[in-house]
Amino acid sequence: MGKEYPFSEATLRGKLAAGTGLSVYCLTCRRRALDVAALAKRFGPDQPCFHWDLLKIIYCHECRAAGRDDRNLQFTNHAVTPEKRGRR
């Protein structure tokens, strides 16, 4: 990540450039997963990555197959830690 200002992680491209992470947790079946690079490859790097945008395209496959609520998801942003910043 350079010294761009204002800093924005509004899209998957921005999250990849910043090196930050994103995880999703299913509140129904308690599964956790998500890979920003895989999402960018699947939906394109210009896909907005706010909660309300991702909720439209992501669902829990296991809950959907079982007939449960498949959009009961919690998204968590993961910041770059100081140790990881030094490795760039």
Coordinates of all heavy atoms in Angstrom, one line a residue:
M1 N 0.9 -1.2 0.0 CA 0.0 0.0 0.0 C 0.9 1.2 0.0 O 1.8 1.3 0.8 CB -0.9 0.0 1.2 CG -1.8 1.2 1.3 SD -2.9 1.0 2.7 CE -1.9 1.5 4.1
G2 N 0.6 2.2 -0.8 CA 1.4 3.4 -0.9 C 0.8 4.4 0.0 O 0.1 4.1 1.0
K3 N 1.1 5.7 -0.3 CA 0.6 6.8 0.5 C -0.6 7.5 -0.1 O -0.7 8.7 0.0 CB 1.8 7.7 0.8 CG 2.9 7.1 1.5 CD 4.0 8.1 1.7 CE 5.2 7.4 2.5 NZ 6.3 8.3 2.7
E4 N -1.4 6.7 -0.7 CA -2.6 7.3 -1.4 C -3.5 7.9 -0.3 O -3.7 7.3 0.8 CB -3.4 6.3 -2.2 CG -2.6 5.6 -3.3 CD -1.8 4.4 -2.8 OE1 -2.2 3.8 -1.7 OE2 -0.9 4.0 -3.4
Y5 N -4.1 9.0 -0.6 CA -5.1 9.6 0.3 C -6.2 10.2 -0.5 O -6.0 10.8 -1.5 CB -4.4 10.7 1.2 CG -5.4 11.3 2.2 CD1 -5.6 10.6 3.4 CD2 -6.1 12.4 1.9 CE1 -6.5 11.1 4.3 CE2 -7.0 12.9 2.9 CZ -7.2 12.2 4.1 OH -8.1 12.7 5.0
P6 N -7.4 10.0 -0.1 CA -7.9 9.3 1.0 C -7.8 7.8 0.8 O -8.1 7.3 -0.3 CB -9.3 9.8 1.2 CG -9.8 10.2 -0.1 CD -8.5 10.6 -0.9
F7 N -7.5 7.1 1.9 CA -7.4 5.6 1.8 C -8.8 5.0 1.7 O -9.7 5.5 2.5 CB -6.7 5.1 3.1 CG -6.7 3.6 3.2 CD1 -5.9 2.9 2.3 CD2 -7.4 3.0 4.2 CE1 -5.9 1.5 2.4 CE2 -7.4 1.6 4.3 CZ -6.6 0.9 3.4
S8 N -9.0 4.1 0.9 CA -10.4 3.5 0.7 C -10.3 2.0 0.5 O -9.5 1.5 -0.3 CB -11.1 4.1 -0.5 OG -12.3 3.5 -0.7
E9 N -11.1 1.2 1.2 CA -11.2 -0.2 1.0 C -12.7 -0.5 0.6 O -13.3 -1.5 1.0 CB -10.9 -1.0 2.3 CG -9.5 -0.9 2.6 CD -9.2 -1.8 3.8 OE1 -9.7 -2.9 3.9 OE2 -8.5 -1.3 4.7
A10 N -13.2 0.3 -0.2 CA -14.7 0.2 -0.6 C -14.9 -0.9 -1.6 O -16.0 -1.4 -1.7 CB -15.2 1.5 -1.2
T11 N -13.8 -1.4 -2.3 CA -14.0 -2.5 -3.2 C -13.0 -3.6 -2.9 O -12.1 -3.4 -2.1 CB -13.6 -2.0 -4.7 OG1 -12.3 -1.6 -4.7 CG2 -14.6 -0.9 -5.1
L12 N -13.2 -4.7 -3.5 CA -12.2 -5.8 -3.3 C -10.8 -5.5 -3.7 O -9.8 -5.9 -3.1 CB -12.7 -7.1 -4.0 CG -14.1 -7.7 -3.5 CD1 -14.5 -8.8 -4.3 CD2 -13.9 -8.1 -2.0
R13 N -10.7 -4.7 -4.8 CA -9.4 -4.2 -5.3 C -8.7 -3.4 -4.2 O -7.5 -3.6 -3.9 CB -9.6 -3.3 -6.5 CG -8.3 -2.8 -7.1 CD -8.5 -1.8 -8.2 NE -9.6 -2.0 -9.1 CZ -9.5 -2.7 -10.2 NH1 -8.3 -3.3 -10.6 NH2 -10.5 -2.9 -11.0
G14 N -9.5 -2.5 -3.5 CA -8.9 -1.7 -2.4 C -8.4 -2.6 -1.2 O -7.4 -2.4 -0.7
K15 N -9.2 -3.6 -0.9 CA -8.8 -4.5 0.2 C -7.5 -5.3 -0.2 O -6.6 -5.5 0.6 CB -9.9 -5.5 0.5 CG -11.1 -4.8 1.2 CD -11.9 -5.8 1.9 CE -11.5 -6.2 3.3 NZ -11.1 -5.2 4.2
L16 N -7.4 -5.7 -1.5 CA -6.2 -6.5 -1.9 C -5.0 -5.5 -1.9 O -3.9 -5.9 -1.5 CB -6.5 -7.0 -3.3 CG -7.4 -8.3 -3.4 CD1 -7.7 -8.6 -4.8 CD2 -6.8 -9.4 -2.7
A17 N -5.2 -4.3 -2.4 CA -4.1 -3.4 -2.4 C -3.6 -3.0 -1.0 O -2.4 -2.9 -0.8 CB -4.5 -2.1 -3.1
A18 N -4.5 -3.0 -0.1 CA -4.1 -2.6 1.3 C -3.6 -3.9 2.1 O -2.9 -3.7 3.1 CB -5.4 -2.1 2.1
G19 N -3.8 -5.0 1.5 CA -3.4 -6.3 2.2 C -4.2 -6.6 3.4 O -3.8 -7.4 4.2
T20 N -5.4 -6.1 3.5 CA -6.3 -6.4 4.6 C -7.1 -7.6 4.3 O -7.3 -8.0 3.2 CB -7.1 -5.2 5.0 OG1 -7.9 -4.9 3.9 CG2 -6.3 -4.1 5.5
G21 N -7.7 -8.2 5.3 CA -8.5 -9.4 5.1 C -10.0 -9.2 5.5 O -10.4 -8.1 6.0
L22 N -10.7 -10.2 5.2 CA -12.2 -10.1 5.4 C -12.6 -11.5 5.7 O -12.2 -12.5 5.0 CB -12.9 -9.6 4.2 CG -14.4 -9.5 4.2 CD1 -14.8 -8.4 5.1 CD2 -14.9 -9.2 2.8
S23 N -13.4 -11.7 6.7 CA -13.9 -13.1 7.0 C -15.4 -13.0 7.2 O -16.0 -11.9 7.5 CB -13.3 -13.7 8.2 OG -13.5 -13.0 9.4
V24 N -16.1 -14.1 6.9 CA -17.5 -14.2 7.1 C -17.8 -15.3 8.1 O -17.2 -16.4 8.0 CB -18.3 -14.3 5.8 CG1 -18.0 -15.7 5.1 CG2 -19.8 -14.2 6.0
Y25 N -18.8 -15.1 9.0 CA -19.1 -16.1 10.0 C -20.6 -16.3 9.8 O -21.4 -15.4 9.9 CB -18.7 -15.6 11.3 CG -19.1 -16.5 12.5 CD1 -18.4 -17.6 12.7 CD2 -20.1 -16.2 13.3 CE1 -18.7 -18.5 13.8 CE2 -20.5 -17.0 14.4 CZ -19.7 -18.1 14.6 OH -20.0 -18.9 15.7
C26 N -21.0 -17.6 9.7 CA -22.4 -17.9 9.6 C -23.0 -18.0 11.0 O -22.5 -18.9 11.8 CB -22.7 -19.2 8.8 SG -24.4 -19.7 8.8
L27 N -23.9 -17.2 11.4 CA -24.4 -17.2 12.8 C -25.4 -18.4 13.0 O -25.7 -18.7 14.1 CB -25.1 -15.9 13.0 CG -24.2 -14.6 13.0 CD1 -25.0 -13.4 13.0 CD2 -23.2 -14.6 14.1
T28 N -25.8 -19.0 11.9 CA -26.7 -20.1 12.1 C -25.9 -21.4 12.3 O -26.2 -22.1 13.3 CB -27.6 -20.3 10.8 OG1 -28.3 -19.1 10.6 CG2 -28.6 -21.4 11.0
C29 N -25.0 -21.8 11.5 CA -24.3 -23.1 11.6 C -22.8 -22.9 12.1 O -22.1 -23.9 12.3 CB -24.2 -23.8 10.3 SG -23.2 -23.1 9.0
R30 N -22.4 -21.6 12.4 CA -21.1 -21.3 13.0 C -19.9 -21.7 12.1 O -18.9 -22.0 12.6 CB -21.0 -21.9 14.4 CG -22.1 -21.5 15.3 CD -22.0 -22.1 16.6 NE -23.2 -21.9 17.4 CZ -23.5 -20.9 18.2 NH1 -22.6 -19.9 18.4 NH2 -24.6 -20.8 18.9
R31 N -20.1 -21.6 10.8 CA -18.9 -21.8 9.9 C -18.3 -20.5 9.6 O -18.9 -19.5 9.6 CB -19.4 -22.5 8.6 CG -20.0 -23.9 8.9 CD -20.3 -24.6 7.6 NE -19.2 -24.7 6.7 CZ -19.2 -24.7 5.4 NH1 -20.4 -24.7 4.8 NH2 -18.1 -24.8 4.7
R32 N -17.0 -20.5 9.3 CA -16.2 -19.3 9.0 C -15.4 -19.6 7.8 O -14.7 -20.6 7.7 CB -15.3 -19.0 10.2 CG -14.5 -17.7 10.0 CD -13.6 -17.5 11.2 NE -14.2 -17.5 12.4 CZ -14.7 -16.5 13.1 NH1 -14.6 -15.3 12.6 NH2 -15.3 -16.6 14.3
A33 N -15.4 -18.6 6.9 CA -14.6 -18.7 5.7 C -14.6 -17.4 4.9 O -15.5 -16.6 5.1 CB -15.1 -19.8 4.8
L34 N -13.7 -17.2 4.1 CA -13.6 -16.1 3.1 C -12.2 -15.8 2.7 O -11.3 -15.8 3.6 CB -14.3 -14.9 3.6 CG -14.9 -13.9 2.5 CD1 -15.8 -14.7 1.6 CD2 -15.6 -12.8 3.1
D35 N -12.0 -15.6 1.5 CA -10.7 -15.3 0.9 C -10.9 -14.1 -0.1 O -11.6 -14.3 -1.1 CB -10.2 -16.5 0.2 CG -8.8 -16.3 -0.5 OD1 -8.2 -15.2 -0.2 OD2 -8.4 -17.1 -1.3
V36 N -10.3 -13.0 0.2 CA -10.5 -11.8 -0.6 C -10.1 -12.0 -2.0 O -10.8 -11.6 -3.0 CB -9.8 -10.6 0.1 CG1 -10.0 -9.3 -0.8 CG2 -10.4 -10.3 1.4
A37 N -8.9 -12.7 -2.2 CA -8.5 -12.9 -3.6 C -9.4 -13.8 -4.4 O -9.7 -13.5 -5.5 CB -7.1 -13.5 -3.5
A38 N -10.0 -14.8 -3.7 CA -10.9 -15.7 -4.4 C -12.2 -14.9 -4.7 O -12.8 -15.1 -5.8 CB -11.3 -16.9 -3.5
L39 N -12.7 -14.0 -3.8 CA -13.8 -13.2 -4.1 C -13.6 -12.3 -5.3 O -14.4 -12.1 -6.2 CB -14.2 -12.4 -2.9 CG -15.0 -13.1 -1.8 CD1 -15.3 -12.1 -0.7 CD2 -16.3 -13.5 -2.4
A40 N -12.4 -11.7 -5.3 CA -12.1 -10.7 -6.4 C -12.0 -11.5 -7.8 O -12.5 -11.0 -8.8 CB -10.8 -10.1 -6.2
K41 N -11.5 -12.7 -7.7 CA -11.5 -13.5 -9.0 C -12.9 -13.9 -9.4 O -13.2 -13.9 -10.6 CB -10.7 -14.7 -8.7 CG -10.4 -15.6 -9.9 CD -9.5 -16.7 -9.6 CE -9.2 -17.6 -10.8 NZ -8.4 -18.7 -10.6
R42 N -13.8 -14.2 -8.4 CA -15.1 -14.7 -8.8 C -16.0 -13.5 -9.2 O -16.8 -13.7 -10.1 CB -15.7 -15.4 -7.6 CG -17.0 -16.0 -7.8 CD -17.4 -16.8 -6.6 NE -18.8 -17.3 -6.7 CZ -19.5 -17.8 -5.8 NH1 -18.9 -18.1 -4.6 NH2 -20.7 -18.2 -6.0
F43 N -16.0 -12.4 -8.4 CA -17.0 -11.3 -8.7 C -16.4 -10.1 -9.3 O -17.1 -9.2 -9.6 CB -17.6 -10.9 -7.3 CG -18.4 -12.0 -6.7 CD1 -18.0 -12.6 -5.5 CD2 -19.6 -12.5 -7.3 CE1 -18.7 -13.6 -4.9 CE2 -20.3 -13.5 -6.7 CZ -19.9 -14.1 -5.5
G44 N -15.0 -10.1 -9.5 CA -14.4 -8.9 -10.1 C -13.8 -8.0 -9.0 O -14.4 -7.9 -8.0
P45 N -12.7 -7.3 -9.3 CA -12.1 -6.5 -8.3 C -12.8 -5.2 -8.0 O -12.6 -4.6 -7.0 CB -10.7 -6.2 -9.0 CG -10.9 -6.4 -10.4 CD -12.0 -7.4 -10.6
D46 N -13.8 -4.8 -8.8 CA -14.6 -3.6 -8.5 C -15.8 -3.9 -7.7 O -16.6 -3.0 -7.5 CB -14.9 -2.9 -9.8 CG -13.7 -2.4 -10.6 OD1 -12.7 -2.0 -9.9 OD2 -13.6 -2.5 -11.8
Q47 N -16.0 -5.1 -7.2 CA -17.1 -5.5 -6.4 C -17.0 -4.7 -5.1 O -16.0 -4.8 -4.4 CB -17.1 -7.0 -6.1 CG -18.1 -7.4 -5.1 CD -19.6 -7.2 -5.4 OE1 -20.0 -7.4 -6.6 NE2 -20.4 -6.7 -4.5
P48 N -18.1 -3.9 -4.7 CA -18.1 -3.3 -3.4 C -18.0 -4.3 -2.3 O -18.5 -5.4 -2.4 CB -19.4 -2.5 -3.4 CG -19.8 -2.4 -4.8 CD -19.3 -3.6 -5.5
C49 N -17.3 -4.0 -1.2 CA -17.1 -4.9 -0.2 C -17.7 -4.5 1.2 O -17.2 -4.9 2.2 CB -15.7 -5.4 -0.1 SG -14.5 -4.0 0.4
F50 N -18.7 -3.7 1.1 CA -19.4 -3.3 2.4 C -20.4 -4.4 2.7 O -20.8 -5.2 1.8 CB -20.2 -2.0 2.2 CG -19.2 -0.8 2.1 CD1 -19.2 -0.1 0.9 CD2 -18.4 -0.5 3.1 CE1 -18.4 1.0 0.8 CE2 -17.5 0.6 2.9 CZ -17.6 1.4 1.8
H51 N -20.8 -4.5 4.0 CA -21.7 -5.6 4.4 C -22.9 -5.8 3.6 O -23.2 -6.8 3.1 CB -22.1 -5.3 5.9 CG -23.1 -6.2 6.4 ND1 -22.8 -7.5 7.0 CD2 -24.5 -6.1 6.4 CE1 -23.9 -8.1 7.3 NE2 -24.9 -7.3 7.0
W52 N -23.6 -4.7 3.3 CA -24.9 -4.7 2.5 C -24.6 -5.1 1.1 O -25.5 -5.7 0.5 CB -25.6 -3.4 2.7 CG -24.8 -2.2 2.3 CD1 -24.7 -1.7 1.0 CD2 -24.1 -1.4 3.2 NE1 -23.9 -0.6 1.1 CE2 -23.5 -0.4 2.4 CE3 -23.9 -1.4 4.5 CZ2 -22.7 0.6 2.9 CZ3 -23.1 -0.4 5.0 CH2 -22.5 0.6 4.2
D53 N -23.4 -4.9 0.6 CA -23.1 -5.3 -0.8 C -22.8 -6.8 -0.9 O -23.3 -7.5 -1.8 CB -21.9 -4.5 -1.4 CG -22.2 -3.0 -1.5 OD1 -23.3 -2.7 -2.0 OD2 -21.4 -2.2 -1.1
L54 N -22.0 -7.2 0.1 CA -21.6 -8.7 0.1 C -22.8 -9.6 0.4 O -22.9 -10.7 0.0 CB -20.5 -8.9 1.0 CG -19.2 -8.2 0.6 CD1 -18.1 -8.4 1.7 CD2 -18.7 -8.8 -0.7
L55 N -23.7 -9.1 1.3 CA -24.8 -9.9 1.7 C -25.7 -10.3 0.5 O -26.4 -11.3 0.5 CB -25.6 -9.1 2.8 CG -26.5 -10.0 3.7 CD1 -25.7 -11.1 4.3 CD2 -27.1 -9.1 4.7
K56 N -25.7 -9.5 -0.6 CA -26.5 -9.7 -1.7 C -25.9 -10.9 -2.6 O -26.7 -11.5 -3.3 CB -26.6 -8.5 -2.6 CG -27.3 -7.3 -2.0 CD -27.1 -6.1 -2.9 CE -27.6 -4.9 -2.2 NZ -27.3 -3.7 -3.1
I57 N -24.6 -11.1 -2.5 CA -24.0 -12.1 -3.3 C -23.4 -13.4 -2.6 O -23.1 -14.4 -3.2 CB -22.9 -11.5 -4.2 CG1 -21.8 -10.9 -3.3 CG2 -23.5 -10.5 -5.1 CD1 -20.6 -10.4 -4.0
I58 N -23.3 -13.3 -1.3 CA -22.7 -14.4 -0.5 C -23.8 -15.0 0.4 O -24.6 -14.3 1.0 CB -21.5 -13.9 0.4 CG1 -20.4 -13.4 -0.5 CG2 -21.0 -14.9 1.3 CD1 -19.3 -12.7 0.2
Y59 N -23.7 -16.3 0.5 CA -24.6 -17.0 1.4 C -23.9 -18.3 1.9 O -22.9 -18.7 1.3 CB -25.9 -17.4 0.7 CG -25.7 -18.3 -0.6 CD1 -25.7 -19.7 -0.4 CD2 -25.5 -17.7 -1.8 CE1 -25.5 -20.5 -1.5 CE2 -25.3 -18.5 -2.9 CZ -25.3 -19.9 -2.8 OH -25.1 -20.7 -3.9
C60 N -24.5 -18.9 2.9 CA -23.9 -20.1 3.5 C -24.4 -21.3 2.7 O -25.6 -21.6 2.7 CB -24.2 -20.2 5.0 SG -23.6 -21.7 5.7
H61 N -23.6 -22.0 2.0 CA -24.0 -23.1 1.2 C -24.6 -24.2 2.0 O -25.5 -24.9 1.6 CB -22.8 -23.7 0.4 CG -22.2 -22.7 -0.6 ND1 -22.8 -22.5 -1.8 CD2 -21.2 -21.8 -0.5 CE1 -22.1 -21.6 -2.5 NE2 -21.1 -21.1 -1.7
E62 N -24.0 -24.5 3.2 CA -24.5 -25.6 4.0 C -25.9 -25.3 4.6 O -26.7 -26.2 4.6 CB -23.5 -25.8 5.2 CG -23.6 -27.2 5.8 CD -22.4 -27.5 6.6 OE1 -21.3 -27.6 6.1 OE2 -22.6 -27.7 7.8
C63 N -26.1 -24.1 5.0 CA -27.4 -23.7 5.5 C -28.5 -23.7 4.4 O -29.6 -24.2 4.6 CB -27.4 -22.3 6.2 SG -26.6 -22.4 7.8
R64 N -28.1 -23.3 3.2 CA -29.0 -23.3 2.1 C -29.4 -24.7 1.7 O -30.6 -25.0 1.5 CB -28.4 -22.6 0.8 CG -29.4 -22.6 -0.3 CD -28.9 -21.7 -1.4 NE -29.2 -20.3 -1.1 CZ -29.1 -19.3 -2.0 NH1 -28.6 -19.5 -3.2 NH2 -29.4 -18.1 -1.6
A65 N -28.5 -25.6 1.7 CA -28.7 -27.0 1.4 C -29.7 -27.7 2.5 O -30.5 -28.5 2.1 CB -27.4 -27.8 1.3
A66 N -29.5 -27.2 3.7 CA -30.4 -27.8 4.8 C -31.7 -27.0 4.9 O -32.5 -27.4 5.8 CB -29.6 -27.7 6.1
G67 N -32.0 -26.0 4.1 CA -33.2 -25.3 4.2 C -33.3 -24.3 5.3 O -34.4 -23.8 5.6
R68 N -32.2 -23.9 5.9 CA -32.1 -22.9 6.9 C -31.9 -21.5 6.3 O -31.6 -21.4 5.2 CB -31.0 -23.2 7.9 CG -31.2 -24.5 8.6 CD -30.2 -24.8 9.7 NE -28.8 -24.8 9.1 CZ -28.1 -26.0 9.1 NH1 -28.6 -27.1 9.5 NH2 -26.9 -25.9 8.6
D69 N -32.0 -20.5 7.2 CA -31.6 -19.1 6.8 C -30.2 -19.1 6.3 O -29.3 -19.3 7.1 CB -31.9 -18.1 7.9 CG -31.6 -16.7 7.6 OD1 -31.4 -16.4 6.4 OD2 -31.5 -15.9 8.5
D70 N -29.9 -18.8 5.1 CA -28.6 -18.8 4.5 C -27.9 -17.4 4.5 O -26.8 -17.3 4.0 CB -28.5 -19.5 3.2 CG -29.4 -18.8 2.1 OD1 -30.0 -17.8 2.5 OD2 -29.4 -19.3 1.0
R71 N -28.6 -16.4 4.9 CA -28.0 -15.0 4.9 C -27.8 -14.4 6.3 O -27.7 -13.2 6.4 CB -28.9 -14.1 4.1 CG -29.2 -14.6 2.7 CD -28.2 -14.1 1.7 NE -28.7 -14.6 0.4 CZ -28.1 -14.3 -0.7 NH1 -27.0 -13.6 -0.7 NH2 -28.5 -14.8 -1.8
N72 N -27.7 -15.3 7.3 CA -27.5 -14.9 8.7 C -26.0 -14.8 8.9 O -25.4 -15.6 9.6 CB -28.2 -15.9 9.6 CG -28.2 -15.4 11.0 OD1 -28.0 -14.2 11.3 ND2 -28.4 -16.3 12.0
L73 N -25.4 -13.8 8.3 CA -23.9 -13.7 8.2 C -23.4 -12.5 8.9 O -24.0 -11.5 9.0 CB -23.5 -13.7 6.7 CG -23.9 -14.8 5.9 CD1 -23.5 -14.5 4.4 CD2 -23.4 -16.1 6.3
Q74 N -22.2 -12.7 9.5 CA -21.5 -11.5 10.1 C -20.1 -11.4 9.4 O -19.4 -12.3 9.2 CB -21.2 -11.9 11.6 CG -20.3 -10.9 12.3 CD -20.0 -11.4 13.7 OE1 -20.8 -12.1 14.3 NE2 -18.9 -10.9 14.2
F75 N -19.8 -10.2 8.9 CA -18.6 -9.9 8.2 C -17.6 -9.2 9.1 O -18.0 -8.3 9.9 CB -18.9 -9.0 7.0 CG -19.7 -9.7 5.9 CD1 -21.1 -9.6 5.9 CD2 -19.1 -10.5 5.0 CE1 -21.8 -10.3 5.0 CE2 -19.8 -11.2 4.0 CZ -21.2 -11.1 4.0
T76 N -16.4 -9.5 9.1 CA -15.3 -8.9 9.9 C -14.2 -8.5 9.0 O -13.6 -9.3 8.3 CB -14.8 -9.9 11.0 OG1 -16.0 -10.4 11.7 CG2 -13.8 -9.2 11.9
N77 N -13.8 -7.2 9.1 CA -12.6 -6.7 8.5 C -11.4 -7.0 9.3 O -11.4 -6.8 10.5 CB -12.7 -5.2 8.2 CG -13.6 -4.9 7.1 OD1 -13.5 -5.4 6.0 ND2 -14.6 -4.1 7.3
H78 N -10.3 -7.4 8.7 CA -9.0 -7.7 9.4 C -8.0 -6.7 9.0 O -7.7 -6.6 7.8 CB -8.6 -9.1 9.2 CG -9.6 -10.1 9.6 ND1 -9.8 -10.5 10.9 CD2 -10.5 -10.8 8.9 CE1 -10.7 -11.4 11.0 NE2 -11.2 -11.6 9.7
A79 N -7.5 -5.9 9.9 CA -6.5 -4.9 9.6 C -5.1 -5.5 9.5 O -4.8 -6.6 10.0 CB -6.4 -3.9 10.8
V80 N -4.2 -4.8 8.9 CA -2.8 -5.2 8.7 C -2.1 -4.9 10.1 O -2.2 -3.8 10.5 CB -2.1 -4.5 7.6 CG1 -0.7 -4.9 7.5 CG2 -2.8 -4.8 6.3
T81 N -1.5 -5.9 10.7 CA -0.8 -5.7 11.9 C 0.5 -5.1 11.7 O 1.1 -5.2 10.6 CB -0.6 -7.1 12.7 OG1 0.2 -7.9 11.9 CG2 -2.0 -7.7 13.0
P82 N 1.1 -4.4 12.7 CA 2.4 -3.8 12.5 C 3.5 -4.7 12.1 O 4.3 -4.4 11.3 CB 2.7 -3.2 13.9 CG 1.3 -3.0 14.5 CD 0.5 -4.1 14.0
E83 N 3.4 -6.0 12.6 CA 4.4 -7.0 12.1 C 4.3 -7.3 10.7 O 5.4 -7.4 10.0 CB 4.2 -8.3 12.9 CG 4.2 -8.2 14.4 CD 2.8 -7.9 14.9 OE1 1.8 -8.6 14.6 OE2 2.7 -7.0 15.7
K84 N 3.1 -7.4 10.1 CA 3.0 -7.6 8.7 C 3.3 -6.4 7.9 O 3.7 -6.6 6.7 CB 1.5 -8.1 8.4 CG 1.2 -9.5 9.0 CD -0.2 -9.9 8.6 CE -0.4 -11.3 9.1 NZ -1.8 -11.7 8.8
R85 N 3.1 -5.2 8.4 CA 3.4 -4.0 7.6 C 4.9 -3.9 7.4 O 5.4 -3.5 6.3 CB 3.0 -2.8 8.4 CG 1.6 -2.3 8.1 CD 1.4 -1.0 8.8 NE 0.1 -1.2 9.5 CZ -0.1 -0.8 10.7 NH1 0.9 -0.2 11.4 NH2 -1.2 -1.0 11.3
G86 N 5.7 -4.4 8.3 CA 7.2 -4.3 8.2 C 7.7 -5.3 7.1 O 8.8 -5.1 6.6
R87 N 7.0 -6.4 6.8 CA 7.4 -7.4 5.8 C 7.2 -6.9 4.4 O 7.7 -7.6 3.5 CB 6.7 -8.7 6.0 CG 7.0 -9.3 7.3 CD 6.4 -10.7 7.4 NE 6.0 -11.0 8.7 CZ 5.0 -11.7 9.1 NH1 4.2 -12.3 8.2 NH2 4.7 -11.9 10.4
R88 N 6.6 -5.8 4.1 CA 6.3 -5.4 2.7 C 7.5 -4.9 2.1 O 8.3 -4.2 2.4 CB 5.2 -4.5 2.7 CG 3.9 -5.1 3.1 CD 2.8 -4.1 3.0 NE 1.6 -4.9 3.1 CZ 0.4 -4.4 2.7 NH1 0.4 -3.3 2.2 NH2 -0.6 -5.1 2.9

